Amino acid sequence: MDYEALVKDTLRKFKQAGADAEIFLQTGDSLEISVRDGNLENLKQSGSKGMGVRVFYKKKMSFVDSTDFSKGAVDSLVEKGLSLAKMAGKDEYNVLPEPREVTHRPEIYDPEIKRIPLDKKIELAKEVERRALSYHPLITKPEGCSYSDNSGKVIVANTLGISESYKATYFHVEIGVIAEKGESQQPGEYETGSRFFSDLMDIQTIAENAGRRAVAMVGGEPVKSQKAAVVFDRLTGERLLDGVSRALNGEQVALERSFLRGKIGEKIGSDLVTIVDDGIMNRGNASRPVDGEGVPTQRRVIIERGVLKGYFYNARGAARAKGKSTGSAARWGYGQPPGIGHHNFYLVPGELSSDEIITGTKKGLYVFQTIGFGVDAESGGFSVGASGVWIVDGKVVGPVARVAIASHMLEMLKGIDAVANDLIMDRSAACPTFRIKEMTIGGI
């Protein structure tokens, strides 16, 4: 089917009816493999297609979607979208973005996805599990290993003239094992992803990352409640980034629902805190030439040496803030209207190794696992359950479990006093190991 022609013809129908519209069309194929204890548990291959349509009529807006691209179904979709838009309430911020020139098209499609044998992918999942189970004698049980990949095409166009498309691929591996010591059981998990199959983390490292976490934490007990340094590893540090990202939502800032409201130009973090959002990074997991509304993506320094430089805006958020879209319209599939989100969002690495951060810590908690939602993006409050290992005089002295760590996001950002050089961009939000000089640790 000629999807570009379908989109063009559907937009023409809205225009003839006196409305503006935007179409986000997705097609794709996906593969899911899961193994447990060396056996293939699940193998699923599927294809999908669908389009979501935003209809704008005199500042009123509706959203409709369909997986049926037949002429009758599309005509019904147009009629339904128009009818709903006319019934909706007016909102001055219901706007579409104007076309802009796309100057960067990152490399995000791996043509090898069609040539890699299925057997090789199944064997990859089995081998990751085998190596994780053999990492240490304390590891006794598998929690399963999964491999998945997908390839697809996105078309985003509107009646104001935007007409963009791109193809992308994504590969993902996830492994879980359980370590046992006495009556204590401790899961260890790791997941990694990439746009290109050849960029996937090597099998041994994936397996070791899961095994190491399980073995390090097994048998953990709470420590006494106190204030001490907290070191976040690459995975748990994402919680901090997630909180910052959600607080950068420009529409929420305009509605005064963000702890970062009114802080452009202010120093909100230590000199070690530089955070970048990069939508055009070659082979980046969250790279794409345009955002979910067809606006070109870009590389932006959001926080530079602790100073807040900007927020995220889609077209609606920008209209509310009387600004300009930053190419930050996020889509979570064709069945949802665009929101606001980040692309490849990361804390810029420092010069220390993670081991140097540990040896330089007098007393504190090295966090490997967190439990709970974590960050209130409106108030900036941060509180999660945590597990990891305890550090005394630069040495790991034992596992820790069932403690809570709490602070305020601004205090945490300002309290970062060491950043490691171990950043790996194998997820859309990534950070190196970092240390916060003091947090409240709730234990016994």
Side-chain angles (χ1 to χ4, degrees):
M1 181 175 226
D2 186 341
Y3 295 118
E4 278 83 0
L6 170 67
V7 167
K8 187 176 179 181
D9 186 54
T10 306
L11 289 175
R12 180 183 56 77
K13 290 174 181 176
F14 281 112
K15 201 70 179 174
Q16 287 177 342
D20 280 310
E22 170 197 81
I23 295 177
F24 184 87
L25 187 149
Q26 272 184 311
T27 62
D29 298 296
S30 62
L31 169 68
E32 298 174 24
I33 296 168
S34 61
V35 301
R36 184 186 291 267
D37 221 359
N39 299 311
L40 182 62
E41 271 197 334
N42 179 54
L43 175 60
K44 178 182 176 183
Q45 287 182 297
S46 59
S48 63
K49 68 177 190 323
M51 64 175 170
V53 184
R54 285 196 296 166
V55 185
F56 297 79
Y57 183 80
K58 296 181 178 177
K59 293 294 182 181
K60 302 176 181 180
M61 190 196 80
S62 69
F63 179 81
V64 289
D65 68 278
S66 177
T67 58
D68 188 345
F69 292 173
S70 66
K71 183 178 183 306
V74 172
D75 286 345
S76 294
L77 189 72
V78 171
E79 184 179 342
K80 182 181 176 183
L82 280 167
S83 175
L84 291 175
K86 290 176 181 177
M87 292 169 60
K90 283 189 176 180
D91 186 333
E92 62 179 312
Y93 305 124
N94 283 333
V95 296
L96 281 170
E98 300 278 350
R100 295 187 208 168
E101 182 183 3
V102 179
T103 56
H104 293 85
R105 294 190 179 275
E107 192 179 4
I108 55 176
Y109 180 77
D110 184 359
E112 289 298 313
I113 192 169
K114 297 178 180 176
R115 295 189 278 270
I116 301 166
L118 178 60
D119 287 350
K120 182 175 181 178
K121 298 173 180 177
I122 295 172
E123 184 54 34
L124 183 152
K126 289 182 176 179
E127 186 61 23
V128 170
E129 186 188 54
R130 271 197 295 269
R131 297 194 188 193
L133 288 171
S134 63
Y135 171 74
H136 193 280
L138 290 177
I139 294 177
T140 57
K141 297 177 183 174
E143 282 203 309
C145 182
S146 65
Y147 166 93
S148 62
D149 63 38
N150 62 71
S151 64
K153 181 174 181 178
V154 167
I155 300 171
V156 57
N158 69 28
T159 49
L160 301 188
I162 284 178
S163 180
E164 296 291 341
S165 66
Y166 60 87
K167 294 199 299 182
T169 48
Y170 184 67
F171 304 85
H172 181 261
V173 178
E174 184 170 3
I175 172 70
V177 291
I178 293 177
E180 288 185 285
K181 189 175 184 181
E183 295 182 354
S184 176
Q185 292 192 349
Q186 176 63 50
E189 298 159 349
Y190 193 78
E191 62 179 306
T192 184
S194 64
R195 288 288 197 187
F196 285 69
F197 186 81
S198 60
D199 289 345
L200 272 174
M201 185 177 284
D202 72 272
I203 289 173
Q204 185 64 26
T205 304
I206 297 172
E208 288 179 0
N209 280 331
R212 184 183 304 116
R213 298 165 72 80
V215 170
M217 292 187 287
V218 67
E221 295 291 338
V223 293
K224 289 183 178 179
S225 297
Q226 58 192 289
K227 289 190 174 182
V230 174
V231 179
F232 288 84
D233 78 346
R234 292 194 302 105
L235 302 190
T236 54
E238 284 180 46
R239 288 298 182 95
L240 190 69
L241 280 187
D242 175 66
V244 173
S245 168
R246 287 190 285 119
L248 289 168
N249 182 317
E251 187 162 18
Q252 294 302 307
V253 169
L255 291 169
E256 299 191 343
R257 296 174 184 164
S258 165
F259 75 91
L260 293 178
R261 61 188 179 278
K263 296 197 178 299
I264 294 291
E266 286 190 22
K267 195 166 180 63
I268 62 166
S270 78
D271 285 347
L272 296 175
V273 178
T274 293
I275 295 178
V276 172
D277 186 50
D278 191 347
I280 57 175
M281 177 189 295
N282 246 357
R283 300 193 173 206
N285 284 347
S287 296
R288 46 187 66 84
V290 294
D291 71 356
E293 296 180 312
V295 175
T297 56
Q298 55 184 313
R299 181 186 186 276
R300 300 175 65 211
V301 178
I302 304 299
I303 300 174
E304 185 172 21
R305 294 181 61 80
V307 178
L308 180 62
K309 296 293 185 179
Y311 302 121
F312 297 149
Y313 293 110
N314 60 9
R316 177 185 172 82
R320 186 183 290 276
K322 298 182 174 21
K324 189 176 178 181
S325 171
T326 55
S328 303
R331 292 275 191 171
W332 296 275
Y334 65 83
Q336 297 182 48
I340 297 177
H342 61 76
H343 302 291
N344 301 291
F345 190 63
Y346 62 94
L347 174 64
V348 172
E351 297 179 354
L352 298 173
S353 69
S354 57
D355 286 343
E356 286 174 317
I357 290 181
I358 302 307
T359 56
T361 300
K362 182 70 176 174
K363 181 182 71 172
L365 175 65
Y366 190 0
V367 182
F368 291 156
Q369 187 179 61
T370 56
I371 302 169
F373 197 58
V375 180
D376 182 334
E378 182 171 352
S379 69
F382 179 93
S383 179
V384 294
S387 301
V389 295
W390 194 247
I391 304 166
V392 175
D393 293 332
K395 295 179 180 177
V396 172
V397 295
V400 175
R402 304 189 302 280
V403 299
I405 51 176
S407 187
H408 189 277
M409 287 291 293
L410 290 176
E411 292 179 8
M412 293 172 73
L413 290 168
K414 290 177 180 175
I416 292 176
D417 65 353
V419 178
N421 56 7
D422 57 353
L423 176 69
I424 299 175
M425 292 300 301
D426 64 348
R427 55 205 71 216
S428 60
C431 64
T433 301
F434 63 86
R435 182 180 64 203
I436 295 175
K437 63 183 177 184
E438 185 177 271
M439 289 183 69
T440 298
I441 300 171
I444 55 176

